[in-house]
Amino acid sequence: MQQSTAPVVQPPCQNECPIHQDARGYLAAIARGEFDRALEVVRETNPLPIICATICSHPCENKCRRGKVDLPLSIRALKRVAVEQGKSPPPAKPKAQRSQKVAVIGSGPAGLTAAHDLAHLGYSVTILERDAAPGGAMTNFVPIYRLPREWIKRDIDAITALGVTIKTNHELGKNVTIADLKKQGFNAILLAMGLPVSRTPGVPGENSEGVMLALPFLRSVNQEGYRLPPDKMVIVVGGGNVAIDVARSALRAGAAGVRMVCLEAPHEMPASPWEVEEAKEEGIDINCSWGPKQIIVRNGKLGVLECKKVKSVFDAQGRFNPSFYEEQCTLIEGDIIIMAIGQGSDLKMLPDMGVNLNERKQLVFDAKTMTTSQEGVFACGEVTTGPGSAVRAMSTGRRAALAIDGYLKGEKVVFTEPLPLGELAPEVVNGVKRIERNVVPAQDPALRVKNFNIADLGYDAVLGLKEARRCLNCGNGAHLIEEKCIACLTCVRVCPYNVPVTRNGKVDIRVDQCQACGICVAECPVNAIGFRMPGVEDIPQRIETAMKGSKQELGFYCSYDSYYLRGVNTQGMIGIPCLAKIDTKHLLKAFELGAERAFLAGCMDADCPFTGNLEWAQRRVDTVNSLLKDAGLGEGRVKMLKVEPDQFKNLTQLVAAAFQPKEAPKG
Amino acid sequence: MIKATHKRLERINEMIAPHSEVLVLGCETCTGICLVGGEKEVARMAANLRLLNRKNGGKKTFTEGVVRRQCEMEFLDGAASLINDADAVVSLACGVGMQAIAEHFPNMPVYPGNNTAFLGLSPELGLFSERCVACGDCLIDRTGGLCPIARCAKHLFNGPCGGSVAGKCEVSPDVPCIWQMIVDRMMRLGQLSKLEDIKGIRNWKTNDAVGPRAYIREDLRSTPPKLDSVVMKPVAPKGGAA
């Protein structure tokens, strides 16, 4: 959410993220093995990094432009690498404090985000949570095998460390009212109460013994350790993510088997496809296109769910409005039925406190200002949007915090949504090296259904590095410095991705298409190409610094290999995000400053994510060697070393060996 | 455009032997575009001269500069202080730019860092090929748009020689016979019969038969210019052209 008037253009991953996290930034840091930095980048925009690294619905991945080439980056799994490998602390509490106080009702993702942001804006924030433990839906309803409770606590602890007070067992309308809060001196009140009530389909027999509702079931499994009686077949009604959570939780809670029944056809299921896949892996039987007709009780015990065939789920206008073949029915046997067909809010206490609901019992709410019908009372989260992901709820929390800040300062707040970079052009896609997506390790399905341990094991550091290297660095590469360009077309001709084009007699380096390989920057004959990614434009200055103190050797290494070099003394060496960004003038500069020899150490061809970069780096080494020979310095002053990941630790020896004079052949 | 190549470093080093403060001056137009005159080439050349000088125990200093077009006096004026501060200039322009410095700075020694190669184009990255000899009387209307003067080893104007075999010139198997290309192209254009027209003897006056050439755009002038070359007029059609 930006607060300026001009829309900012972001990489598609960042733009699609409701809280606009700089995914490209933390992926780049991970690729360089800078895990602390990666976590810092994550924390810049994300107040719940561990939670998001674990359960985020990662809309970013849907827009990842590598998806056009092969498969998108595993961005969520990479965030988990950042939070597991990174050690940087959360940003400290701001020094400047404001006198005003804000109360937040509800400690789910929306409320926590708003509280976090308001605390950083200097306000004194108190969260009122009606349950005994904070976290809202994440604590009550998200299964433990997806999100260990200790991890939630770590994120929440970081927020309370900012001075945010969380008062649990404080329920609006029960032991506190909006008037009380105003009397206590709260200048603004934010309603972030979520959707805590399970809906029922309204079919005959739904009140029978043995019929449960999704949210109470999940809450008792998660919070109270509820386990099902032995040998029970469970039927879960619903096709969303909550239904999947219920089904998979039921298996772990001891169900003999789980059958899901949903209205939607497989392609229409609202659940995330990977959740459906994981449920299937665990042996859950999914029956699509059936709607509950009635629950039949036999011998006083629940036995059968009668279903009717779905004709269509949505009407011609695309609205949810299921129709059925009333005569086409089937019976699904089970001992327990859990209804997971949707959830709603619990706002009945609000009208008495002067906060209006509409005729459909929904909150009267203005999304432009995040306000309710009562002055000083704001709202965010699923009460304002309907059911959605945690990260979407967080984004509304952020927006509400900004709205409250504006209100308390007496300023008008205008929200401007940033814009995404354009699509990747087909000719660019063709040039990009295909690199297989790294599968995120998970517990074996047969074993994981027997426990509540986290199913998704995440990448280790090395797998994280490999995956992060797949990032296309959208928009973080080359840009033309027009006043220096002489339109020689070298960039147009060297680019393996066809990014620079000619337009109206001029060169246009399409920033949104650039793959950040750097070849053009080093080949431009007039230094007319700038580079956004850090670590490129400052190469000359770094050479000067490195060459202070009469050094005889200057080493360059690919900073994507930093992790493998962590045991090696790289003091005085220069890390470059791929060696193809080194220019011949850089190498000559080192010799001018006194170097006797230089080396470039980088990946093997197979490990380099770029197209042709190592070839270009080698070509420049050859050119400089030839120039140095002309200058009377002899041959082979610069060496290029392609190093296997596990050999970087021996870099010193490899360099020494490379410069060792070759023995003359015998005889 | 004009295409050029670098001179050998050793050769440049010999030229500048008497000088101690040398400016390496690039040009961002023709030689910049053919990758021997831009800012980066200037830096590379200067760096290499410094290294060679140091190696030889010399004490020379090398400064670097670049102008938009060395062949324009106004652009050279912009680099005047840089030029005047030096003892000598190594020019990475073409021969025209180098001489412009010589003319505009009468007391400044100027040395060629480049060899001016030809008028040509770059059909692909890293390749530069000759296309034109600037003969002053373009006749490619008769030859399908391809120039046999520039591209035939013998500058033949009335068809191939006996050395044209399987479309290649006998000079090198890499070189296509331009006359084969002319015939193929004129066939494609339906103009092959033009080759049957009898062409008179070409007047080579416009080429190099008169000494240094000049031409005047009368419409841009109120007074006659100070001439330094033979003014060329459109060629009288002795043989037919112009």
Side-chain angles (χ1 to χ4, degrees):
Chain A
M1 207 75 53
Q2 301 296 317
Q3 228 184 320
S4 66
T5 45
V8 173
V9 179
Q10 297 175 331
C13 52
Q14 181 177 15
N15 190 258
E16 192 66 10
C17 173
I19 56 168
H20 304 308
Q21 289 178 93
D22 179 10
R24 182 186 71 193
Y26 68 79
L27 264 48
I30 292 170
R32 294 193 300 266
E34 296 169 10
F35 301 121
D36 292 351
R37 175 65 196 143
L39 181 54
E40 261 174 40
V41 175
V42 170
R43 288 195 201 279
E44 277 167 14
T45 42
N46 193 327
L48 303 172
I50 306 171
I51 290 166
C52 286
T54 320
I55 60 155
C56 185
S57 59
H58 51 72
C60 50
E61 294 183 19
N62 301 340
K63 293 284 168 169
C64 171
R65 298 205 295 187
R66 190 172 262 288
K68 283 257 159 38
V69 178
D70 36 50
L71 288 170
L73 272 279
S74 279
I75 301 175
R76 182 181 74 190
L78 286 167
K79 181 179 280 132
R80 190 158 151 199
V81 172
V83 300
E84 287 183 351
Q85 307 287 336
K87 302 282 176 278
S88 51
K93 188 170 151 176
K95 288 216 172 68
Q97 290 294 313
R98 304 181 68 87
S99 59
Q100 292 118 314
K101 290 173 24 175
V102 182
V104 178
I105 316 295
S107 64
L112 286 170
T113 302
H116 166 275
D117 287 11
L118 287 163
H120 272 292
L121 290 166
Y123 296 99
S124 163
V125 186
T126 302
I127 299 179
L128 306 180
E129 166 56 52
R130 73 177 192 172
D131 282 307
M138 302 179 297
T139 299
N140 290 323
F141 309 138
V142 174
I144 294 170
Y145 66 84
R146 285 182 56 211
L147 179 59
R149 293 305 180 259
E150 175 53 29
W151 297 10
I152 302 179
K153 185 173 179 310
R154 276 165 54 200
D155 273 346
I156 294 180
D157 284 351
I159 292 172
T160 51
L162 296 170
V164 171
T165 306
I166 303 182
K167 291 184 174 173
T168 53
N169 298 313
H170 276 63
E171 184 172 349
L172 197 66
K174 202 166 172 190
N175 46 15
V176 64
T177 66
I178 288 172
D180 294 340
L181 292 170
K182 287 190 170 171
K183 217 175 288 168
Q184 288 166 28
F186 286 101
N187 306 82
I189 293 150
L190 176 61
L191 306 177
M193 294 137 81
L195 304 177
V197 182
S198 268
R199 290 214 170 107
T200 54
V203 293
E206 71 179 24
N207 295 322
S208 313
E209 196 183 329
V211 177
M212 302 186 194
L213 298 178
L215 299 184
F217 170 77
L218 288 169
R219 182 203 291 265
S220 45
V221 172
N222 292 333
Q223 298 290 77
E224 294 144 26
Y226 172 76
R227 297 295 177 264
L228 292 163
D231 303 325
K232 300 292 184 196
M233 174 57 73
V234 174
I235 300 171
V236 178
V237 179
N241 283 328
V242 172
I244 300 272
D245 284 350
V246 169
R248 297 178 69 188
S249 293
L251 269 188
R252 287 162 176 77
V258 177
R259 293 175 177 143
M260 288 182 70
V261 179
C262 66
L263 296 172
E264 297 87 358
H267 67 278
E268 295 169 325
M269 284 178 72
S272 307
W274 58 91
E275 301 267 358
V276 175
E277 213 37 56
E278 285 167 7
K280 285 184 184 164
E281 282 173 12
E282 293 175 4
I284 290 164
D285 174 30
I286 302 178
N287 299 277
C288 288
S289 302
W290 291 101
K293 185 176 179 187
Q294 62 167 325
I295 291 161
I296 302 168
V297 179
R298 289 178 182 160
N299 307 327
K301 276 190 176 172
L302 195 146
V304 175
L305 173 71
E306 185 176 15
C307 295
K308 49 191 175 177
K309 189 75 183 165
V310 174
K311 199 185 282 178
S312 67
V313 181
F314 304 98
D315 63 18
Q317 279 75 46
R319 285 176 304 215
F320 180 79
N321 187 11
S323 64
F324 300 93
Y325 299 102
E326 294 292 341
E327 302 314 313
Q328 212 176 319
C329 294
T330 189
L331 300 177
I332 296 176
E333 302 212 0
D335 306 298
I336 292 169
I337 295 178
I338 308 175
M339 296 293 179
I341 60 148
Q343 54 199 87
S345 57
D346 178 9
L347 305 174
K348 58 185 178 298
M349 76 299 280
L350 291 178
D352 289 344
M353 297 181 206
V355 177
N356 297 343
L357 304 184
N358 64 20
E359 65 283 2
R360 294 172 63 197
K361 305 286 175 215
Q362 291 164 329
L363 191 64
V364 173
F365 171 73
D366 180 355
K368 282 203 188 83
T369 55
M370 305 301 283
T371 49
T372 65
S373 59
Q374 188 175 136
E375 159 95 26
V377 179
F378 296 77
C380 64
E382 288 182 321
V383 284
T384 64
T385 61
S389 62
V391 72
R392 185 157 74 123
M394 289 167 69
S395 75
T396 66
R398 170 146 300 159
R399 196 185 260 251
L402 291 172
I404 290 171
D405 183 48
Y407 167 72
L408 295 178
K409 287 175 177 165
E411 293 168 1
K412 187 173 162 56
V413 178
V414 180
F415 299 107
T416 314
E417 281 298 325
L419 299 172
L421 282 178
E423 293 270 314
L424 219 47
E427 70 273 18
V428 178
V429 170
N430 287 341
V432 180
K433 195 166 167 181
R434 272 62 180 159
I435 308 173
E436 219 168 288
R437 181 173 160 124
N438 295 281
V439 175
V440 183
Q443 273 198 79
D444 182 70
L447 297 176
R448 72 183 183 225
V449 295
K450 296 191 166 68
N451 62 53
F452 277 88
N453 298 339
I454 183 148
D456 185 349
L457 299 175
Y459 292 134
D460 61 13
V462 171
L463 217 44
L465 296 172
K466 285 177 70 174
E467 179 65 12
R469 273 190 193 194
R470 298 176 67 237
C471 175
L472 301 182
N473 294 292
C474 300
N476 207 24
H479 59 94
L480 190 71
I481 304 165
E482 242 179 88
E483 62 274 18
K484 295 195 82 174
C485 178
I486 58 169
C488 68
L489 307 186
T490 303
C491 56
V492 174
R493 291 169 181 177
V494 297
C495 178
Y497 312 98
N498 307 301
V499 169
V501 291
T502 55
R503 195 164 284 161
N504 302 326
K506 286 182 173 177
V507 171
D508 175 17
I509 296 183
R510 295 177 290 170
V511 172
D512 65 336
Q513 300 294 321
C514 179
Q515 300 297 302
C517 75
I519 294 172
C520 64
V521 181
E523 289 304 317
C524 174
V526 292
N527 304 317
I529 302 177
F531 210 74
R532 292 213 165 84
M533 183 186 287
V536 178
E537 288 193 342
D538 61 349
I539 295 173
Q541 294 89 301
R542 286 197 287 156
I543 291 174
E544 278 187 31
T545 311
M547 288 308 297
K548 275 182 189 149
S550 61
K551 275 187 60 161
Q552 300 223 311
E553 177 185 284
L554 183 60
F556 297 86
Y557 62 94
C558 173
S559 42
Y560 290 117
D561 295 311
S562 305
Y563 181 79
Y564 302 122
L565 278 162
R566 64 202 185 285
V568 178
N569 181 11
T570 51
Q571 187 80 30
M573 285 170 60
I574 296 177
I576 315 270
C578 187
L579 300 177
K581 294 172 179 86
I582 301 176
D583 191 332
T584 48
K585 73 176 179 200
H586 298 139
L587 290 167
L588 286 171
K589 178 96 182 166
F591 283 87
E592 268 194 68
L593 293 170
E596 291 288 316
R597 64 190 205 185
F599 67 86
L600 278 63
C603 328
M604 305 296 290
D605 293 278
D607 297 323
C608 178
F610 298 108
T611 304
N613 269 26
L614 295 178
E615 199 185 319
W616 278 101
Q618 181 66 57
R619 207 170 278 155
R620 295 186 195 125
V621 167
D622 296 345
T623 302
V624 170
N625 274 328
S626 159
L627 290 169
L628 293 174
K629 190 180 164 199
D630 290 348
L633 271 68
E635 301 204 21
R637 290 295 184 120
V638 187
K639 302 283 184 193
M640 167 118 170
L641 284 77
K642 292 183 187 175
V643 186
E644 294 279 4
D646 63 350
Q647 287 302 307
F648 274 102
K649 58 180 183 290
N650 303 321
L651 186 63
T652 317
Q653 293 86 322
L654 292 173
V655 171
F659 284 106
Q660 193 75 31
K662 290 216 169 54
E663 277 182 37
K666 285 180 186 157
Chain B
M1 251 181 172
I2 298 170
K3 302 298 172 192
T5 57
H6 280 324
K7 270 196 173 310
R8 277 182 34 244
L9 191 73
E10 190 60 36
R11 178 85 182 84
I12 300 169
N13 197 46
E14 285 166 18
M15 300 175 203
I16 58 172
H19 306 289
S20 57
E21 288 174 28
V22 179
L23 168 66
V24 180
L25 189 64
C27 173
E28 284 182 333
T29 306
C30 301
T31 58
I33 286 167
C34 68
L35 313 180
V36 289
E39 186 178 287
K40 199 176 283 179
E41 280 307 322
V42 168
R44 292 210 312 196
M45 177 66 81
N48 235 20
L49 285 168
R50 283 186 202 108
L51 287 168
L52 180 59
N53 185 253
R54 191 167 72 196
K55 168 83 182 162
N56 295 338
K59 297 264 183 286
K60 293 184 204 305
T61 58
F62 294 89
T63 50
E64 301 167 24
V66 66
V67 292
R68 192 81 214 184
R69 288 201 296 279
Q70 266 189 35
C71 55
E72 309 287 3
M73 304 311 174
E74 291 86 344
F75 286 132
L76 285 176
D77 283 339
S81 65
L82 205 56
I83 294 169
N84 288 325
D85 284 349
D87 289 345
V89 176
V90 170
S91 167
L92 295 189
C94 65
V96 183
M98 295 168 193
Q99 292 181 68
I101 296 176
E103 287 173 36
H104 206 51
F105 297 88
N107 302 317
M108 179 58 57
V110 57
Y111 299 105
N114 286 338
N115 293 317
T116 308
F118 47 74
L119 302 181
L121 52 73
S122 178
E124 56 187 86
L125 180 65
L127 172 66
F128 306 95
S129 298
E130 185 168 15
R131 290 293 183 266
C132 177
V133 293
C135 71
D137 185 14
C138 194
L139 298 167
I140 63 173
D141 58 310
R142 298 171 174 184
T143 54
L146 302 170
C147 179
I149 303 172
R151 299 178 70 185
C152 168
K154 294 175 179 166
H155 314 301
L156 293 183
F157 201 67
N158 286 295
C161 71
S164 174
V165 178
K168 300 289 182 189
C169 173
E170 65 183 332
V171 167
S172 160
D174 294 331
V175 179
C177 170
I178 190 64
W179 270 106
Q180 182 71 55
M181 290 170 68
I182 290 169
V183 169
D184 290 347
R185 191 168 143 79
M186 291 182 81
M187 272 173 79
R188 271 201 308 281
L189 298 175
Q191 297 182 355
L192 197 60
S193 61
K194 275 196 188 180
L195 288 178
E196 291 177 0
D197 295 347
I198 303 298
K199 292 170 270 281
I201 298 161
R202 189 194 192 287
N203 185 343
W204 289 98
K205 210 171 164 186
T206 56
N207 190 37
D208 56 4
V210 294
R213 293 168 287 172
Y215 67 94
I216 303 170
R217 276 286 297 266
E218 304 280 3
D219 58 330
L220 300 178
R221 299 204 56 92
S222 48
T223 56
K226 195 179 128 208
L227 287 173
D228 55 7
S229 310
V230 180
V231 177
M232 303 311 296
K233 296 265 165 60
V235 182
K238 204 190 264 179

